[in-house]
Amino acid sequence: MPATKQNEPLLRVLQPLWSKYETDGPRNWCTDTAAWVWDQLKRTARHTAASAEIVGYHLEDNPTATVGAVEGGHDFLLLGGRYIVDFWQKEVWDSEHPLLLDVIDDFEQVCRLYGNPHHWEPYGIRGELLCRKRLLRNINQKGISNGLHAADRSE
């Protein structure tokens, strides 16, 4: 994702974290990586961390997702219900994966990689409703419906 006026401050925060992750970050599980990034944001960018939630999906519930297909699902960090931060995907599977994906501006790429956002669930109980509300508000503002992929329309 190229830097824009809106996401440039986030990229400035994430770039040093990526460098730190390359030497010190956990690589065993996507959930651990998302939690590590969130913890680092709490230490360095509290305002950004305040809007962060770990979200994810089981592949059986989100069959159009390609990220996490081998593992049977995937967890990642969602900032403000709009921006995906997924260091694990970048490190383990795809070095070209961007540090930041915008659910709105990069919607087609997000759907190709992470499937239908309506199938993402917050990790744990904390902030579950707030996370869902932010995500759906952002998606609905762009007039994006739940029928994202033909495979998902059978619900």
Side-chain angles (χ1 to χ4, degrees):
M1 154 181 233
T4 64
K5 185 177 180 181
Q6 190 168 2
N7 71 27
E8 190 174 344
L10 288 174
L11 286 171
R12 277 197 305 265
V13 168
L14 292 173
Q15 286 166 339
L17 289 184
W18 172 250
S19 296
K20 185 175 182 180
Y21 175 77
E22 288 183 298
T23 57
D24 298 337
R27 289 169 180 77
N28 293 339
W29 301 102
C30 54
T31 310
D32 294 341
T33 298
W36 182 89
V37 174
W38 193 3
D39 185 59
Q40 296 301 309
L41 286 173
K42 288 177 190 176
R43 296 168 193 229
T44 61
R46 285 192 166 177
H47 180 71
T48 302
S51 71
E53 294 291 338
I54 298 173
V55 300
Y57 50 83
H58 295 284
L59 198 59
E60 63 192 33
D61 300 327
N62 194 14
T64 60
T66 57
V67 173
V70 172
E71 298 81 7
H74 189 58
D75 294 320
F76 51 94
L77 199 62
L78 186 67
L79 301 178
R82 180 166 181 171
Y83 297 100
I84 293 173
V85 177
D86 194 351
F87 285 11
W88 188 86
Q89 172 66 12
K90 182 173 180 63
E91 175 70 20
V92 174
W93 289 106
D94 181 6
S95 63
E96 299 299 316
H97 191 80
L99 288 179
L100 193 65
L101 276 173
D102 186 327
V103 173
I104 303 302
D105 293 343
D106 304 317
F107 191 72
E108 294 298 320
Q109 182 179 11
V110 166
C111 289
R112 189 175 67 254
L113 295 170
Y114 296 91
N116 185 334
H118 290 274
H119 296 303
W120 302 348
E121 295 291 332
Y123 183 83
I125 295 172
R126 185 199 167 288
E128 184 170 329
L129 294 176
L130 181 59
C131 176
R132 166 90 47 219
K133 182 179 175 182
R134 284 180 184 148
L135 175 64
L136 294 178
R137 181 193 66 224
N138 286 332
I139 290 172
N140 291 333
Q141 282 177 346
K142 290 291 185 174
I144 300 165
S145 70
N146 190 14
L148 301 175
H149 301 284
D152 289 338
R153 291 191 181 130
S154 61
E155 298 178 342

